[in-house]
Amino acid sequence: MPKADINKAGWEQSDFPILCETCLGSNPFIRMSKQEYGRSCGTCARPFTVFRWNPGQGGRFKTTVICQTCAKIKNVCQTCLLDLEYGLPTQVRDTALGYKNEAPTSDINREYYAQNMEAKMQDGGDSSKSGLEINKSAAAGRDMLKQLARTDPYYKRNRPHVCSFFVKGECNRGTECPYRHEKPADNDLAHQNIQDRYHGRNDPVAKKIMGSHAEAQGLKPPEDESITSLFLSSLSPSSTEQSVRTRVLHSLPAIQPTQLKSIVHVAKTRCAFVNFKDRASAEHAALAWANGLEIDGETASVKWGRSRPKTTAASASASPAPVVGVSTLAS
């Protein structure tokens, strides 16, 4: 590399973007503009080749927002940042398959990490290969993704943005306005950003998808906020408390081991109680195990625990106080 270009080491040049079918649009004949080093990547901040095109009549111009290296690491589209195989947010895919997000989020380390991953994929002999190994994941997680996958293109995502002047009542273009004239929905789905979508954290779209699926599987969170336990049934006869604990922690990389309070394994009935320290960790586990949890070759069924019956003051006063030092036998 010439000395004058030493500062461009690691900058990306490409001939065609990595896109999903929805972002490409319904028109088989599209015209793309290409600009080398047009902007910095939205995740690793390295300059890359930017592509811009119109996906079809009535759609807005779309552009690539992350580099191809970051897209290959997560196997996502360079524009919408959805998984290329299932068409789902990365948080849904990583939660179902138990993937741990190893990409750093700090400005200092993310460019270094992207360069190392790019060199690793090139050393493997196939620079177009994804950095994920889905075939090695649990079968229950793959079944969950197959049920949630969106196989057909969803061209409604390519619609123009809402006209900000129309929202303020100041748009005078009428039907000639290229933007949509409608009131925007003020909910959690309206607050999305590239970093959360890519790294799979606090994504409102992913939470809505996983929440609906968990309710359909009978794992709707109970109203009692004090319930932080999940009940596992149909365990393998060879399962032990240690094997259950190891599998639980391995399937929940987003939860720290300290958030797991205890595991109560009942070998006689082949079941176990998984107790968490807080409600948020229990809800996250319920979303990840909506299709069951594979332990020791068997897929265990998952249900929410039940709240303990509250003892009233009248019943407590009616029962005689135990005498210290005297053991009572059950009649």
Side-chain angles (χ1 to χ4, degrees):
M1 179 179 293
K3 187 175 181 179
D5 296 333
I6 192 65
N7 291 328
K8 293 185 179 181
W11 291 15
E12 183 181 271
Q13 288 180 309
S14 55
D15 297 325
F16 196 79
I18 301 175
L19 302 172
C20 62
E21 189 175 353
T22 298
C23 289
L24 277 174
S26 57
N27 185 7
F29 306 100
I30 58 175
R31 179 183 299 174
M32 280 189 178
S33 64
K34 173 183 174 183
Q35 182 182 7
E36 291 187 355
Y37 316 134
R39 62 183 295 181
S40 60
C41 175
T43 57
C44 69
R46 297 188 306 166
F48 72 103
T49 303
V50 176
F51 296 89
R52 189 172 183 269
W53 71 98
N54 190 329
Q57 185 177 5
R60 70 179 186 274
F61 274 87
K62 310 198 76 172
T63 183
T64 51
V65 294
I66 64 173
C67 65
Q68 290 197 4
T69 301
C70 292
K72 293 174 184 176
I73 292 174
K74 285 280 191 176
N75 193 36
V76 296
C77 172
Q78 282 188 265
T79 299
C80 65
L81 276 65
L82 296 180
D83 182 76
L84 292 174
E85 183 174 354
Y86 298 102
L88 297 170
T90 57
Q91 184 173 348
V92 177
R93 181 199 64 197
D94 295 349
T95 302
L97 301 179
Y99 283 152
K100 184 178 181 180
N101 181 24
E102 299 178 350
T105 57
S106 63
D107 296 339
I108 300 176
N109 296 327
R110 58 185 183 180
E111 183 176 351
Y112 175 75
Y113 174 80
Q115 291 178 354
N116 287 345
M117 290 299 297
E118 183 179 16
K120 181 179 179 181
M121 288 186 290
Q122 290 178 352
D123 292 341
D126 188 0
S127 60
S128 62
K129 185 179 179 181
S130 169
L132 301 177
E133 295 181 349
I134 295 180
N135 293 331
K136 295 184 179 181
S137 57
R142 296 197 301 268
D143 293 341
M144 176 179 172
L145 293 180
K146 290 178 181 178
Q147 294 178 10
L148 297 176
R150 174 173 284 169
T151 56
D152 297 330
Y154 185 66
Y155 296 127
K156 191 177 180 180
R157 278 209 322 260
N158 299 334
R159 294 184 303 168
H161 293 297
V162 176
C163 179
S164 60
F165 289 94
F166 174 79
V167 175
K168 296 183 291 184
E170 300 177 358
C171 183
N172 54 9
R173 293 185 178 182
T175 57
E176 297 181 356
C177 183
Y179 298 96
R180 284 159 39 207
H181 281 191
E182 57 184 58
K183 294 293 183 180
D186 189 12
N187 51 26
D188 294 339
L189 299 180
H191 304 284
Q192 306 179 37
N193 60 75
I194 294 177
Q195 292 290 336
D196 289 347
R197 169 61 60 81
Y198 180 81
H199 292 289
R201 61 189 183 195
N202 301 324
D203 189 347
V205 179
K207 291 181 179 179
K208 181 180 178 181
I209 294 175
M210 291 189 296
S212 301
H213 180 69
E215 291 186 13
Q217 299 295 326
L219 283 174
K220 182 179 180 180
E223 296 180 358
D224 189 357
E225 294 289 338
S226 63
I227 300 177
T228 59
S229 301
L230 293 175
F231 175 69
L232 306 181
S233 59
S234 303
L235 294 175
S236 172
S238 61
S239 296
T240 62
E241 180 180 341
Q242 184 61 35
S243 65
V244 174
R245 179 184 296 272
T246 302
R247 184 68 186 100
V248 165
L249 294 176
H250 184 267
S251 64
L252 302 173
I255 295 180
Q256 297 296 328
T258 55
Q259 297 303 111
L260 183 61
K261 185 178 181 180
S262 63
I263 299 269
V264 180
H265 178 241
V266 184
K268 185 177 181 180
T269 56
R270 295 170 55 189
C271 65
F273 291 91
V274 183
N275 304 314
F276 295 91
K277 290 185 178 180
D278 53 59
R279 177 60 176 260
S281 300
E283 291 183 357
H284 178 82
L287 296 178
W289 302 340
N291 280 56
L293 178 61
E294 190 172 337
I295 303 176
D296 296 329
E298 297 285 343
T299 302
S301 302
V302 183
K303 298 293 182 184
W304 275 98
R306 297 180 180 179
S307 57
R308 295 181 178 178
K310 297 181 180 179
T311 57
T312 60
S315 61
S317 60
S319 58
V323 180
V324 178
V326 178
S327 60
T328 57
L329 297 177
S331 57

